[in-house]
């Protein structure tokens, strides 16, 4: 109880800080597309702030002025960006052309506007900074020993993350995931991104080392306590490292190695015991784990998934960084505003870079900061960095007992900063709160600078001045809670339109957009126009708001006004389907088929679930120019190529157009491969157009052996690849039919067939073409003994009806079966097997014309 006695005046504050940190990690792991958990956390932050203010005893606030300055600098940038400016200033800022054009649509171009192009989104970002700032002030107000509770909270939440991640490894359905969109089949815990989970686990590893370093755990028998502590700390460290590996985060795994070195440095610092032994044991254990992983790699799916992540295939980050740099050039030096990355990025993203995964972040926090905050943001970042280094230097020299905490803070910030080069950990509230704890560990604790906030009173007593201070401070979290609720409901209305009616007027941006779209769908053009104009005024950077205005004007019969709105909406890029499809239709009506094909290509890449893709393809396929334009897009190997040739639904004219488009692709010197044109080839074969099917297959896959006779008569191709191929063998296995492969002593494939049913069954078939005439067919046996007489038969079907084995002369296992071939519209060669207990082994089929 000695430890708790030392916290007699701050244990409640420490417990509240730990509770809030845990809530932040659990609920703050989403992103801009998950407003529900973010809103819940922001409301809980307001409650925790009020509870902190009215906690029994003195009002505990940080006494280190540098903590307050860091908190102020964090909030300074969005506050400056929300200050209204006269039109003579904001209209001259770089990158404001789209904003000005949007406001011109609603006659508000001469209004006062802030630095940010989207006040609604920058306000959302400002509200999202409140929880980490609150965490910074809470942790900075705790004593040195009370801060150890935060390490315990990090270790416990890290362990909970690892345990939850163990359940998530085989969770394909997402039952153990907090968010609809998150990485699957990896350790992800309470986050929606494996990279952030890896960062959290690495920080938890460092917190474990710091917690183990604390003397609060030593009993009177220090040797026994140290030995048990080594065992527990190293065991938990092993769990954290293994969990990091199973996140499959490449950067996280790479950072695990320096994090292990930092773990050893913290854990062994100034300990009253031999430190080299536990560290050596832990490093040795990691080596054993790595060696064991090499042996398990060929048989362990989870480890194979980890190894597969370290390939050299591009992952799209380089493209995002290049496009982000172009956007920075447009908005430099003031930036576009915090929270506006998506609108700024989409406006400049080339059509060829679009896909279904719309870029919500730059995957580089430093690039995104320059885009959104400009030079002001980098100045604030430089000042924060300087304050952090000064706090670390001061704490390191002033208090030797806090050096482990200082090392934790610095190493944790280094891990987060390193990962911020390729991801966005600080864009989530959870990791921002963890970073706030790391900064607070560098600040001087209250006992080092003379105690608690001077306006407070000793425990159990209150003065009028104390009540006045607390009452005044309570207004801040209350105001924040109201703003967070209004902003959160507005964002939620984009996912749940029924919530639109509950959003208060000052916060309506997405809510008015949803109301406008709903009114247009109900043919209420007056209400649609009213809501759409409000939405554009509230958020002129929102392409969806401008598109809703265009639809409302079109619904009201204002065709010219609708076209003007669509022209302005097009300035924001092509990630809004209404805008993209509108301009696709305009290009088609004007005969600009190459541009129409480019927009159709972008629409199908960005919106794979588009309801009727045939409306995009049909008019283009109808002309030679359109087919050429489509072929030029197919050469780029878009992900919709398979859907284009899937032929669902499609009529005879569409089938012919698909064939002509595929031929046009071949004329341009490109091959689609075997998989993409497979449905088209199969459809042609089914309609008896074998010559066309063979020509198409030869153009895009493999033309060998398609002219006449059997393909793959020795089953070599079938043994190597048993997928369906239109001109190869088709397997007809079933409950009573077994088909397998073996290998002869010479390495040749052997086909083993068995039929345990009561009737003769078709086991193999091939759409082979033979010239009319008589043929002798023999089946070559494999293995010991000859084939049983009468077990195997062949047939040659000339229709698409259910195949029936007819009479045949001879035996394929003896002198050969005579096969009489006539002209066929859809020929198919079949091999039949009669019932029998023994399996037959064959190595090939020989067809000889008589």
């Amino acid at each position: 109880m000695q430890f708790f006695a030392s916290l007699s005046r701050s244990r409640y504050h420490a417990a509240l800080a730990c509770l809030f940190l845990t809530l932040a990690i659990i609920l703050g792991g989403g992103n801009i597309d998950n407003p529900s958990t973010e809103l819940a956390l922001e409301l809980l932050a307001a409650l925790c702030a009020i509870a902190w203010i009215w906690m029994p005893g003195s009002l505990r606030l940080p006494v280190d002025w540098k903590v307050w300055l860091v908190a102020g600098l964090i909030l300074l940038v969005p506050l400056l960006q929300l200050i209204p400016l006269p039109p003579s200033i904001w209209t001259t800022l770089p990158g404001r052309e789209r904003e000005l054009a949007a406001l011109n649509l609603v006659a508000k171009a001469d209004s006062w506007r802030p630095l940010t192009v989207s006040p609604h989104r920058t306000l959302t970002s400002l509200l999202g900074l409140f929880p980490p700032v609150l965490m910074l002030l809470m942790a900075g107000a705790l004593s040195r020993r009370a801060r150890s509770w935060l390490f315990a909270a990090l270790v416990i939440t890290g362990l909970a993350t690892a345990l939850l991640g163990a359940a998530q490894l085989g969770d394909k359905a997402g039952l153990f995931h907090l968010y609809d969109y998150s990485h699957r089949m990896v350790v992800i815990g309470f986050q929606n991104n494996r990279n952030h989970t890896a960062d959290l686990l690495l920080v938890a590893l460092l917190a474990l080392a710091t917690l183990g370093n604390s003397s609060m755990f030593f009993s009177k028998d220090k040797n026994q306590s140290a030995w048990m502590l080594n065992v527990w700390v190293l065991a938990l460290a092993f769990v954290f490292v293994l969990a990091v590996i199973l996140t499959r985060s490449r950067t996280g795994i790479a950072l695990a190695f320096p994090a292990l070195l930092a773990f050893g440095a913290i854990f062994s610092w100034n300990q009253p015991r031999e430190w080299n032994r536990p560290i050596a044991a832990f490093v040795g254990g990691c080596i054993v784990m790595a060696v064991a992983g090499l042996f398990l790699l060929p048989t362990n799916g989870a480890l194979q998934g980890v190894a597969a992540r370290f390939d050299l295939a591009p992952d799209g980050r380089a493209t995002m960084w290049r496009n982000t740099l172009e956007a920075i050039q447009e908005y430099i030096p003031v930036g576009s505003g915090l929270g506006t990355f998506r609108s700024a990025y989409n406006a400049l993203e080339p059509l060829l870079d679009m896909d279904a995964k719309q870029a919500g972040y730059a995957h580089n926090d430093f690039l995104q900061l320059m885009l959104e905050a400009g030079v002001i943001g980098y100045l604030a970042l430089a000042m924060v960095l300087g304050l952090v280094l000064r706090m670390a230097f001061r704490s390191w020299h002033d208090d030797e007992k806090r050096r482990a905490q200082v090392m934790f803070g610095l190493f944790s910030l280094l891990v987060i900063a390193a990962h911020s080069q390729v991801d966005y950990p600080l864009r989530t509230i959870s990791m921002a709160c963890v970073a706030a704890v790391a900064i607070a560990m560098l600040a001087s604790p209250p006992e080092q600078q003379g105690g608690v906030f001077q306006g407070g009173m000793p425990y159990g007593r209150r003065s009028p001045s104390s009540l006045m201070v607390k009452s005044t401070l309570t207004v801040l979290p209350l105001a924040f809670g109201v703003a967070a609720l209004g902003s959160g409901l507005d964002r939620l209305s984009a996912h749940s339109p029924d919530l639109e009616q509950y959003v208060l007027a000052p916060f309506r941006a997405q809510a008015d957009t949803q109301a406008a779209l709903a009114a247009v769908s109900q043919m209420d053009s007056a209400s649609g126009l009213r809501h759409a104009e409000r939405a554009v005024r509230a958020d002129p950077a929102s392409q969806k708001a401008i598109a809703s205005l265009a639809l409302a004007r079109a619904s009201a019969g204002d065709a010219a006004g609708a076209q003007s709105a669509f022209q302005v909406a097009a300035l924001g890029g092509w990630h809004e389907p209404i805008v993209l499809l509108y301009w696709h239709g305009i290009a088609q009506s004007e005969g600009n088929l190459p541009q129409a094909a480019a927009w159709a290509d972008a629409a199908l890449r960005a919106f794979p679930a588009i309801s009727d893709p045939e409306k995009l393809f049909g008019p283009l396929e109808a002309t030679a120019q359109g087919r050429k334009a489509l072929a030029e897009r197919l050469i780029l190997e878009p992900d919709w190529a398979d859907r284009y040739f899937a032929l669902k639904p499609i009529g005879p004219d569409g089938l012919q157009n698909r064939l002509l488009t595929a031929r046009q692709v071949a004329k341009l010197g490109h091959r689609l491969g075997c998989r993409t044109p497979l449905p088209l080839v199969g459809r042609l074969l089914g309609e008896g157009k074998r010559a066309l099917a063979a020509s198409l297959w030869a153009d895009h896959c493999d033309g060998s052996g398609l002219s006449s006779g059997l393909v793959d008569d020795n089953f070599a191709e079938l043994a190597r690849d048993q997928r369906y191929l239109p001109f190869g063998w088709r397997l007809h296995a079933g409950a009573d039919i077994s088909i397998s492969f073996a290998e002869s002593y010479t390495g040749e494939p052997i086909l083993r067939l068995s039929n345990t049913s009561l009737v003769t069954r078709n086991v193999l078939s091939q759409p082979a073409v033979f010239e009319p005439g008589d043929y002798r067919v023999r089946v070559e046996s494999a293995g010991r003994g000859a084939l049983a007489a009468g077990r195997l038969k062949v047939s040659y079907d000339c229709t698409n009806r259910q195949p029936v084995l007819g009479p045949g002369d001879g035996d394929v296992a003896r002198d050969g079966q005579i096969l009489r071939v006539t002209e066929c519209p859809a020929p198919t060669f079949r091999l039949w097997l009669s019932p029998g207990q023994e399996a037959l082994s064959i190595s090939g089929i020989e067809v000889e014309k008589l």
Side-chain angles (χ1 to χ4, degrees), residues 532-549:
E533 289 176 353
R534 289 177 183 171
V536 173
R537 287 195 295 269
D539 190 4
S542 171
Q543 190 183 32
K544 191 170 187 178
I546 302 171
S548 70
L549 177 62

Side-chain angles (χ1 to χ4, degrees), residues 755-770:
N755 178 9
T756 58
S757 67
L758 301 178
V759 296
T760 299
R761 301 283 293 274
N762 176 211
V763 291
L764 292 176
S765 65
Q766 181 181 137
V769 173
F770 294 95

Side-chain angles (χ1 to χ4, degrees), residues 379-724:
L379 288 175
L381 176 63
M383 294 178 67
V384 168
L385 179 60
L387 290 169
V388 166
L389 294 177
R390 180 171 179 178
M391 285 191 292
F393 181 82
R394 182 74 178 271
S395 298
W396 183 269
H397 287 278
D398 288 355
D399 189 355
E400 292 185 359
K401 295 181 179 180
R402 294 187 52 243
R403 289 186 176 179
Q405 293 185 1
V406 172
M407 285 191 288
F408 164 83
L410 288 176
F411 288 140
S412 297
L413 292 175
L414 285 174
V415 167
I416 296 172
H419 214 154
S420 295
Q421 297 282 350
V422 294
D423 208 75
Y424 48 94
L426 293 177
R427 300 283 168 170
T428 61
I429 296 181
S430 61
M431 289 309 302
C433 287
V434 171
V437 170
I439 294 175
M441 292 300 165
L442 307 176
S444 300
E447 66 268 22
Q448 193 170 326
Q449 294 195 14
V452 299
F453 180 63
Q454 297 301 316
M457 295 293 292
Y459 178 78
R461 296 177 58 189
R462 293 180 182 177
S463 69
S465 62
S466 175
L467 292 175
M468 185 184 306
V469 170
K470 290 187 175 183
S471 300
T472 303
L473 290 177
T474 303
V475 175
L476 296 177
L478 286 176
F480 163 77
V482 173
L485 182 61
S487 175
L489 288 176
D490 182 58
R491 286 180 289 148
L492 283 171
S493 67
H495 303 273
S496 303
D498 293 340
L499 295 175
E500 170 269 323
Q501 55 186 319
Y502 302 109
V503 183
L504 300 177
F507 304 100
R508 294 181 65 87
Q510 298 188 48
D512 272 323
T513 302
Q514 294 300 324
L517 294 174
V520 169
S521 66
Q522 297 169 5
M523 306 303 294
D524 186 356
S525 57
S527 177
L529 280 171
R530 185 172 63 256
H531 285 291
E533 289 176 353
R534 289 177 183 171
V536 173
R537 287 195 295 269
D539 190 4
S542 171
Q543 190 183 32
K544 191 170 187 178
I546 302 171
S548 70
L549 177 62
L551 291 177
R553 288 181 172 180
S555 175
D558 183 6
Q563 184 174 10
S564 298
F566 273 120
Q567 287 174 341
V568 175
L571 299 176
W574 306 106
H575 273 284
E576 185 56 49
I578 299 173
V579 178
L580 190 57
L581 295 178
Y582 172 83
W583 288 108
H584 170 265
I586 293 296
Q588 281 194 154
S589 63
E590 295 177 349
N592 188 356
L593 297 186
Q595 183 61 63
W599 273 322
D601 170 30
L604 291 167
R605 280 188 283 105
F607 314 109
I610 198 166
S611 59
D612 191 3
E614 293 300 321
K615 289 184 178 180
L616 298 175
F617 295 139
L620 290 170
E621 295 174 322
T623 65
Q625 183 186 4
R627 289 191 293 270
K628 182 180 179 182
L630 271 178
E632 290 172 346
R633 312 312 297 185
L634 287 167
I635 287 175
L636 301 175
E637 299 182 357
D639 54 9
W640 53 265
D642 291 344
R643 282 181 287 155
Y644 177 72
F645 289 104
L647 314 179
K648 293 180 182 180
I650 192 173
D653 293 338
L655 178 66
Q656 179 66 18
N657 288 334
R658 292 290 196 279
L659 177 60
L660 293 174
T661 303
R663 283 182 170 176
Q664 182 65 51
V665 173
K667 287 181 181 179
L668 295 176
H670 183 75
R671 303 187 75 177
L672 295 169
C674 298
R675 184 188 66 181
T676 300
L678 191 59
L680 181 55
V681 173
R683 175 80 171 266
L684 292 172
L685 283 173
E687 294 183 359
K689 302 174 181 177
R690 190 182 191 282
L692 290 176
S695 175
L696 177 62
W697 193 251
D699 286 341
H700 295 287
C701 185
D702 183 9
S704 61
L706 300 184
S707 57
S708 62
L710 287 179
V711 176
D712 191 25
D713 55 5
N714 61 355
F715 311 118
E717 294 295 328
L718 182 63
R720 181 165 51 251
D721 187 355
Q722 297 175 34
R723 295 176 303 169
Y724 163 71

Side-chain angles (χ1 to χ4, degrees), residues 151-161 240:
F151 298 125
L154 285 171
V155 171
I156 292 172
T157 51
L159 182 60
T161 296
F240 289 153

Side-chain angles (χ1 to χ4, degrees), residues 262-279:
F263 171 88
I266 297 173
F267 188 39
S268 62
W269 184 264
N270 196 28
Q271 290 292 336
R273 62 185 183 278
E274 291 289 337
W275 63 266
N276 57 331
R277 293 180 181 177
I279 301 305

Side-chain angles (χ1 to χ4, degrees), residues 143-178:
S143 66
R144 175 179 60 84
R145 295 179 66 82
R147 290 177 184 179
S148 296
W149 286 41
L150 295 174
F151 298 125
L154 285 171
V155 171
I156 292 172
T157 51
L159 182 60
T161 296
L163 294 176
L164 179 60
Q168 294 167 338
L169 285 174
D171 182 24
K172 293 182 179 180
L175 298 177
F176 296 98
H177 289 71
L178 271 67

